[in-house]
Amino acid sequence: MSEVLPGETEAIRSKKSNFRIQLAGGAIFGALSTVVALILSPIINASRIQGWGIALFDPTSWVWIICFLIFGIRAGIICSVTGSFGLLIIDPTGIGPAFKFFATIPHIIIPYLILKWREKGLLTSQKLKDPKIFSFSGAISIVVRIGAMLILNFIFVATIWADFFEYINLEVIGFANITGISAILIFTPIINLYTGVLDLVVPYILVFGAKLDEKFGFW
């Protein structure tokens, strides 16, 4: 929460007011992530890995997590859902936004659940600001993310991508001879570890480094 200076009184928002703020924050940041995606679409699409459709640089998910860190869990989920639909405008694969959503949502839900499990009192972003708690919950969320992406990849390989399965390989990291299931089992954890760390570290620095959590104090 923001600091109360001498001579000032602390304003206590009602649950109804907080609910409205979270709804508005989630919607606004969801729209903001769409604008970011549109502006940076040439860079995002240029960074996509051939044969995989995964972008090495896609800051739209940073906006979703920033929204969560500032406004709370409800706003973070709303932002992720609306932002995912916004990504349909620039995504050439058609299913990329769904993968983006299921890859990012663990970084919002898992830290909140761990914080709720550890803390018996009121949950606040200040408690999540603790590097130890954030690192621990972030590591768990990355593990969940990798598991979710492995499951999604295998589901789509068995259905929509069945005709292209034989062309999947690890040429991007210099092992073009590794294909099929082996390629998925090796590359999925690698790429999601990389993007997962970025999705956690960048929003943490932007929100807590700039003390946006203290300035706004929505949760």
Side-chain angles (χ1 to χ4, degrees), residues 3-156:
E3 182 182 357
V4 180
L5 299 176
E8 295 181 343
T9 57
E10 182 178 10
I12 305 298
R13 287 187 293 268
S14 65
K15 290 184 178 180
K16 188 174 182 179
S17 177
N18 273 332
F19 178 75
R20 290 175 176 173
I21 289 173
Q22 290 176 20
L23 288 181
I28 292 171
F29 270 68
L32 176 62
S33 73
T34 301
V35 173
V36 169
L38 287 171
I39 294 174
L40 298 180
S41 59
I43 300 175
I44 294 173
N45 288 329
S47 73
R48 293 189 187 279
I49 303 171
Q50 187 175 5
W52 291 82
I54 302 171
L56 290 173
F57 176 78
D58 186 356
T60 54
S61 53
W62 301 353
V63 179
W64 304 352
I65 297 174
I66 287 173
C67 178
F68 159 61
L69 294 177
I70 293 177
F71 294 98
I73 181 69
R74 185 181 288 110
I77 293 175
I78 293 172
C79 178
S80 300
V81 172
T82 56
S84 296
F85 282 103
L87 285 178
L88 289 170
I89 301 173
I90 70 162
D91 184 78
T93 68
I95 51 87
F99 273 70
K100 187 72 170 176
F101 174 81
F102 286 109
T104 306
I105 203 65
H107 301 319
I108 294 174
I109 294 178
I110 298 300
Y112 178 82
L113 292 178
I114 289 178
L115 193 63
K116 189 173 183 178
W117 169 67
R118 287 176 56 96
E119 306 292 336
K120 304 303 180 183
L122 180 66
L123 301 185
T124 69
S125 59
Q126 288 297 295
K127 294 177 180 178
L128 193 58
K129 186 177 183 178
D130 184 331
K132 292 182 180 179
I133 295 178
F134 192 83
S135 297
F136 173 73
S137 62
I140 299 298
S141 68
I142 288 177
V143 172
V144 173
R145 172 185 182 141
I146 291 173
M149 291 301 98
L150 282 170
I151 292 172
L152 276 179
N153 270 287
F154 281 119
I155 289 175
F156 276 86

Side-chain angles (χ1 to χ4, degrees), residues 49 52 54-56 145 186-196:
I49 303 171
W52 291 82
I54 302 171
L56 290 173
R145 172 185 182 141
I186 294 173
F187 191 62
T188 299
I190 292 175
I191 190 62
N192 280 283
L193 175 61
Y194 160 74
T195 52

